[in-house]
Amino acid sequence: MTYFSDKSDLVSDIFARYPSTPQGKRSALMPLLREVQNAHGYVSDGHMHEIAHLIGSTATEVRSVMSFYSTYSTVPTGKYHLQVCSTLMCALAGSDELWDELVSVLDVQPGEVSAGGLFSVQKVECLGSCGTAPMMQVNDLGYYENVTRKRCHDLLAQMKAGVMPTPDNPVPVTVRADGRQVTAAGEAMGNSVQNLTTLEVHP
């Protein structure tokens, strides 16, 4: 059974957000990828082919879109997926040393999952927190900033104990199933895609 075979309502809801054209169907790629990523922690070759079939595209195109975003993974990830920003500002502030410490302590490399399935690691491009470098993101939950060697060990110790450390800055905006953005404080922003008003064109 494929991932979306018993989720016809979900697929219909996602497609309803876009125009009912071939191009509109292809626009549903990102939310379909997100559904699989959230459920499995990565998107397998089989899932890429399934999504490609749903949107009328190819698995190669799906993979090429995925490769542009560090959000998506093509290999299994751990319970705690540690993403270290490796762009210039973070590198100057010590992200290389942070990275070396993580892979040494956890004995894991990109594409691997640590013993017990707890940790995976990934270098990513700018996460937009240059003033608080070096920093890392755990899963998609938030930013841990000014991560010194000691703080790195403290964060890992909490996660090894089964405790998700409180982020310094939660990811500021998430999107609910109805299309509304919600801030980290829980405040709903904008309108639901289900309550849009059709524009009228007057000659």
Side-chain angles (χ1 to χ4, degrees):
M1 184 172 69
T2 58
Y3 180 76
F4 291 104
S5 60
D6 61 346
K7 299 177 177 63
S8 57
D9 288 346
L10 171 63
V11 173
S12 296
D13 176 67
I14 290 173
F15 281 137
R17 303 172 193 172
Y18 305 98
S20 56
T21 63
Q23 293 83 0
K25 286 188 73 172
R26 291 174 67 178
S27 298
L29 171 58
M30 300 288 272
L32 291 171
L33 284 171
R34 171 50 60 187
E35 287 293 331
V36 175
Q37 177 84 22
N38 285 348
H40 294 283
Y42 75 109
V43 182
S44 68
D45 284 342
H47 292 134
M48 289 182 217
H49 280 86
E50 180 184 8
I51 291 172
H53 176 73
L54 286 171
I55 66 172
S57 182
T58 65
T60 300
E61 183 175 1
V62 171
R63 181 181 284 274
S64 70
V65 170
M66 287 180 59
S67 69
F68 188 77
Y69 298 94
S70 60
T71 300
Y72 304 116
S73 177
T74 58
V75 293
T77 55
K79 178 180 179 181
Y80 303 108
H81 185 54
L82 313 179
Q83 301 148 77
V84 176
C85 185
S86 61
T87 42
L88 180 60
M89 187 61 71
C90 276
L92 291 173
S95 66
D96 290 342
E97 290 80 1
L98 171 59
W99 175 261
D100 291 344
E101 193 69 19
L102 284 174
V103 297
S104 173
V105 169
L106 299 175
D107 190 26
V108 65
Q109 292 292 329
E112 300 176 347
V113 177
S114 66
L118 274 185
F119 297 102
S120 55
V121 295
Q122 180 185 9
K123 281 189 177 182
V124 296
E125 294 304 311
C126 185
L127 290 170
S129 191
C130 305
T132 58
M135 60 84 62
M136 70 177 181
Q137 177 175 308
V138 179
N139 301 337
D140 292 326
L141 301 178
Y143 290 172
Y144 299 85
E145 300 166 325
N146 301 306
V147 183
T148 62
R149 184 173 182 274
K150 179 183 183 306
R151 184 157 192 234
C152 174
H153 283 262
D154 290 343
L155 292 170
L156 292 178
Q158 290 181 64
M159 288 182 269
K160 286 178 180 177
V163 176
M164 184 68 184
T166 302
D168 297 313
N169 276 303
V171 173
V173 176
T174 56
V175 180
R176 300 190 318 202
D178 67 355
R180 294 195 72 180
Q181 292 183 336
V182 182
T183 67
E187 179 184 1
M189 307 293 289
N191 293 315
S192 167
V193 294
Q194 298 168 356
N195 298 314
L196 298 177
T197 302
T198 302
L199 294 176
E200 296 181 8
V201 178
H202 298 284

